[in-house]
Amino acid sequence: QLQLQESGPGLVKPSETLSLTCTVSGGSISRGSYYWGWIRQPPGKGLEWIGSIYYSGSTYYNPSVKSRVTISVDTSKNQFSLKLSSVTAADTAVYYCARHDVPASETFDPWGQGTLVTVSP
Amino acid sequence: SYELTQPPSVSVSPGQTASITCSGDKLGDKYACWYQQKPGQSPVLVIYQDSKRPSGIPERFSGSNSGNTATLTISGTQAMDEADYYCQVWESSTGVFGGGTKLTVL
């Protein structure tokens, strides 16, 4: 059964870079036609897609954060990562990683459990 | 940018049918999917490509999409269905989520 697990610092200072890693278990990140995505959810609010990556390194990002985001992949570790620069309090959110079924259903399934990142001095 | 609009809340009595709508410009021309999120949990895919159910999702969940509105329907709603529901589509290679609807079963 495919499982995803987010990890990284829970507290980031304003103007610094948020860095998270998603570890995939129960399947290879480089098998199949899947992308791997990041989605976030501010406390008490809705979901926002951040971006997705293919194991080859091909990426696409939400224009709302494109200038600040980098998603990378490490197939040897079966991991993919998120970096979001110049963070502000508005970036405080639960960050989820998920398998992104491209180009078939274009859905996110399954999701990791999520990790809360707070941006605060 | 493309926007999806959902009602903030919907209430339904146990055993009745709940309908949650998602509106967007020419939404029927795109594939819509729906996610269920229970408190403190990660979202779960319940409908994809407008009306298909993933393995393990009960038959009481169904979906449709036409014109400017996609609809998630839960027949014979159970207390366990109380959750937030989000619609989602792709527009110009950008994933867009609706604001979410809180379904209350009372």
Side-chain angles (χ1 to χ4, degrees):
Chain A
Q1 182 182 0
L2 191 73
Q3 293 186 315
L4 296 88
Q5 178 70 58
E6 306 87 351
S7 60
L11 182 64
V12 181
K13 291 182 168 55
S15 80
E16 295 190 345
T17 297
L18 177 159
S19 297
L20 296 174
T21 295
C22 180
T23 301
V24 179
S25 59
S28 172
I29 202 169
S30 54
R31 176 171 292 182
S33 61
Y34 297 111
Y35 273 63
W36 303 88
W38 287 98
I39 305 100
R40 68 180 179 178
Q41 184 174 35
K45 297 187 178 181
L47 301 165
E48 179 185 33
W49 170 72
I50 298 171
S52 298
I53 189 166
Y54 193 53
Y55 77 90
S56 64
S58 174
T59 56
Y60 58 123
Y61 302 129
N62 191 325
S64 68
V65 293
K66 185 175 183 178
S67 63
R68 299 192 292 129
V69 69
T70 301
I71 298 176
S72 58
V73 64
D74 186 338
T75 55
S76 67
K77 296 181 178 179
N78 226 31
Q79 296 175 333
F80 62 105
S81 298
L82 169 71
K83 290 188 184 299
L84 183 66
S85 64
S86 304
V87 298
T88 69
D91 296 309
T92 293
V94 174
Y95 286 76
Y96 296 99
C97 59
R99 186 178 66 180
H100 182 184
D101 188 12
V102 177
S105 68
E106 289 267 29
T107 55
F108 298 105
D109 180 51
W111 297 54
Q113 69 181 30
T115 188
L116 174 63
V117 178
T118 301
V119 179
S120 180
Chain B
S1 61
Y2 194 78
E3 293 186 358
L4 294 173
T5 301
Q6 299 181 233
S9 62
V10 168
S11 297
V12 63
S13 299
Q16 298 304 300
T17 296
S19 294
I20 299 173
T21 59
C22 174
S23 299
D25 185 46
K26 298 180 181 178
L27 181 53
D29 292 345
K30 312 176 196 303
Y31 273 138
C33 64
W34 293 88
Y35 297 91
Q36 175 195 67
Q37 186 179 33
K38 296 182 179 179
Q41 298 185 18
S42 305
V44 173
L45 179 68
V46 294
I47 291 289
Y48 68 99
Q49 290 181 349
D50 297 338
S51 59
K52 298 179 180 179
R53 276 180 295 104
S55 174
I57 300 302
E59 291 184 7
R60 64 180 181 273
F61 287 87
S62 63
S64 63
N65 186 12
S66 179
N68 294 323
T69 303
T71 303
L72 173 69
T73 302
I74 310 172
S75 305
T77 306
Q78 300 183 10
M80 68 172 64
D81 300 328
E82 188 163 285
D84 293 328
Y85 291 86
Y86 295 89
C87 58
Q88 187 245 313
V89 298
W90 289 89
E91 167 63 21
S92 300
S93 299
T94 299
V96 179
F97 287 92
T101 298
K102 181 176 181 60
L103 177 67
T104 301
V105 183
L106 40 71

